Amino acid sequence: MTPPLVRIGQAGLGNWGQNLVRNVDDLAALTWICDTSDELRERFAARYPGARSTGDFDDLLADDDLEAIVVATPVPTHCDLARRALDAGKHVFVEKPPAMRRAEMEELLDLARARNLVLMPGHLLLYHPGVRKLKELVDTGELGEVLCVYGNRQNLGVIRSHENALWSLGVHDLSVILWLIGEEPVEAIALGRAFLQPGVEDVVFCYLDFPSGKVAHMHLSWLDPHKMRKMTVVGKEKMAVFDDMELERKITVYEKAPWEPAESYGEWTTRTGDIFSPKIPSDEPLRLEVRHFLDLVRNGPGDHQEAVDGLAVVGALERLTESLRS
Ligand SMILES: NC(=O)c1ccc[n+]([C@@H]2O[C@H](COP(=O)([O-])OP(=O)(O)OC[C@H]3O[C@@H](n4cnc5c(N)ncnc54)[C@H](O)[C@@H]3O)[C@@H](O)[C@H]2O)c1
């Protein structure tokens, strides 16, 4: 027998929220939609007539039948809305990042643990089949010891005015880098420049140093001639690239590595072999992400791994921001 659909309400029906709500409606019972904009509420109430519509988040909290809430509002509102939802006993999916400070994210995690509720940050890329393949290549040892990871997230535009390139673009790559490496950085350095609007860095370079000696780098920019969505992992045996701009070859594995021949007495050379592209399923990452949230709601939050990963991301973001400001 199929289990009853999870009853969900969603706050935030803006640019990204409308993608989320489509998946929520497909996979669960969408019972509330909430946005402070009258115009958006009107538009989405017509699209989802089975859901009740409100501009007041408290209406969702007061509904005892509502099991879970999706938060897709602007970043500064995330922590407060997520805290109130957890306090009211609702499971929460909250867009990235769930909080702007590590201490706030710790508070949310403590609350979720105390209430045995799901707290899942919307780190979309962790559900991308290409990124999952990259993680498999790292975890199975296929690439050998990982030495460094670097992300490129560049394009001309979209030029933001409320968030800098680190907060707008960097959260995605940071979540992937921390997940692949499985450690929290001991050092987090960011350099950048606000060329167009005071205080909003358009170009940011980040360097992360990990306890195991691995290092990572991110180039984040909306002032760039290349549209790049790329993550490179350099292993001691092989190297792999995830390129989200590619339609078919999302992952390429290079049999390229440093090599120390036995007879070379400490002199390093290199070796090159095949280059191959494993098949990557074309499932929509957002759908997989929403499905994962629903599985957690049905089966319980377990060890809260998703929120623990989210805590590491918020912690690193906060340190990179302090570095950028200094
Ligand atoms: N995972 C991804 O790839 C991805 C991509 C884009 C955006 N996002 C995230 O999604 C979130 C929303 O981004 P967006 O681009 O849709 O923003 P947006 O500004 O287009 O939409 C936000 C909506 O929230 C509403 N809102 C604000 N405060 C509210 C409140 N207290 N209660 C109810 N509604 C409220 C606004 O009226 C607006 O309609 C952000 O956190 C952003 O970081 C994620």
Side-chain angles (χ1 to χ4, degrees):
M1 206 174 72
T2 48
L5 293 176
V6 175
R7 289 181 301 278
I8 298 196
Q10 177 167 324
L13 303 164
N15 292 324
W16 185 246
Q18 57 187 288
N19 300 324
L20 259 168
V21 79
R22 170 175 51 82
N23 280 284
V24 170
D25 182 56
D26 279 353
L27 300 170
L30 180 69
T31 54
W32 280 101
I33 49 172
C34 170
D35 199 293
T36 44
S37 148
D38 297 342
E39 189 250 311
L40 281 177
R41 274 204 314 281
E42 213 169 291
R43 189 183 330 151
F44 283 89
R47 199 176 293 174
Y48 302 110
R52 277 179 282 177
S53 162
T54 180
D56 185 354
F57 191 66
D58 282 332
D59 286 338
L60 279 64
L61 306 183
D63 179 353
D64 291 338
D65 290 333
L66 190 71
E67 295 168 90
I69 295 181
V70 169
V71 177
T73 53
V75 176
T77 65
H78 287 176
C79 183
D80 178 54
L81 296 182
R83 185 194 296 117
R84 286 162 61 196
L86 291 168
D87 254 333
K90 315 294 184 198
H91 301 286
V92 180
F93 173 96
V94 50
E95 259 312 327
K96 50 85 188 163
M100 297 181 75
R101 303 200 163 275
R102 188 184 174 98
E104 291 171 340
M105 186 61 195
E106 264 165 356
E107 199 190 312
L108 293 180
L109 179 55
D110 287 347
L111 195 54
R113 281 191 172 126
R115 300 281 176 99
N116 197 35
L117 291 167
V118 176
L119 169 64
M120 181 172 148
H123 292 310
L124 179 69
L125 275 183
L126 303 190
Y127 302 88
H128 192 302
V131 173
R132 294 196 91 86
K133 184 70 190 178
L134 208 51
K135 175 75 171 157
E136 182 192 312
L137 290 166
V138 168
D139 287 356
T140 56
E142 177 81 11
L143 306 181
E145 182 195 350
V146 171
L147 305 177
C148 65
V149 180
Y150 62 92
N152 296 86
R153 194 162 288 266
Q154 295 137 244
N155 196 7
L156 184 61
V158 177
I159 297 167
R160 312 261 173 199
S161 51
H162 300 300
E163 282 181 336
N164 64 15
L166 172 62
W167 282 78
S168 177
L169 308 173
V171 190
H172 292 295
D173 288 347
L174 197 51
S175 68
V176 174
I177 287 170
L178 298 183
W179 192 55
L180 290 177
I181 291 184
E183 300 171 29
E184 288 204 45
V186 284
E187 196 166 12
I189 297 168
L191 297 167
R193 183 73 75 206
F195 292 107
L196 306 180
Q197 302 159 92
V200 183
E201 286 81 1
D202 313 279
V203 180
V204 178
F205 301 95
C206 302
Y207 173 81
L208 300 159
D209 202 342
F210 293 88
S212 61
K214 295 174 178 49
V215 294
H217 184 265
M218 298 190 290
H219 179 180
L220 310 161
S221 172
W222 53 60
L223 298 182
D224 206 280
H226 308 283
K227 180 161 183 171
M228 289 175 85
R229 299 277 180 271
K230 218 182 243 194
M231 185 68 62
T232 304
V233 181
V234 176
K236 223 168 173 180
E237 303 296 330
K238 290 177 191 169
M239 303 177 185
V241 177
F242 163 65
D243 188 345
D244 211 7
M245 297 309 297
E246 288 281 349
L247 279 180
E248 288 191 322
R249 283 185 300 154
K250 294 268 178 203
I251 290 280
T252 307
V253 182
Y254 297 82
E255 291 189 358
K256 292 186 176 204
W259 184 39
E260 190 182 24
E263 66 285 1
S264 74
Y265 306 106
E267 291 223 350
W268 286 88
T269 175
T270 56
R271 64 178 167 75
T272 60
D274 290 342
I275 298 172
F276 66 97
S277 272
K279 181 168 167 48
I280 303 298
S282 58
D283 303 304
E284 187 192 0
L286 184 55
R287 205 169 187 81
L288 297 173
E289 187 184 38
V290 172
R291 221 175 242 147
H292 184 71
F293 177 60
L294 296 172
D295 287 345
L296 290 175
V297 170
R298 282 197 203 95
N299 304 322
D303 56 4
H304 295 271
Q305 191 55 52
E306 296 74 10
V308 171
D309 290 343
L311 175 65
V313 174
V314 175
L317 260 179
E318 189 177 4
R319 290 169 60 196
L320 287 168
T321 303
E322 280 164 13
S323 169
L324 196 57
R325 293 285 163 258
S326 69

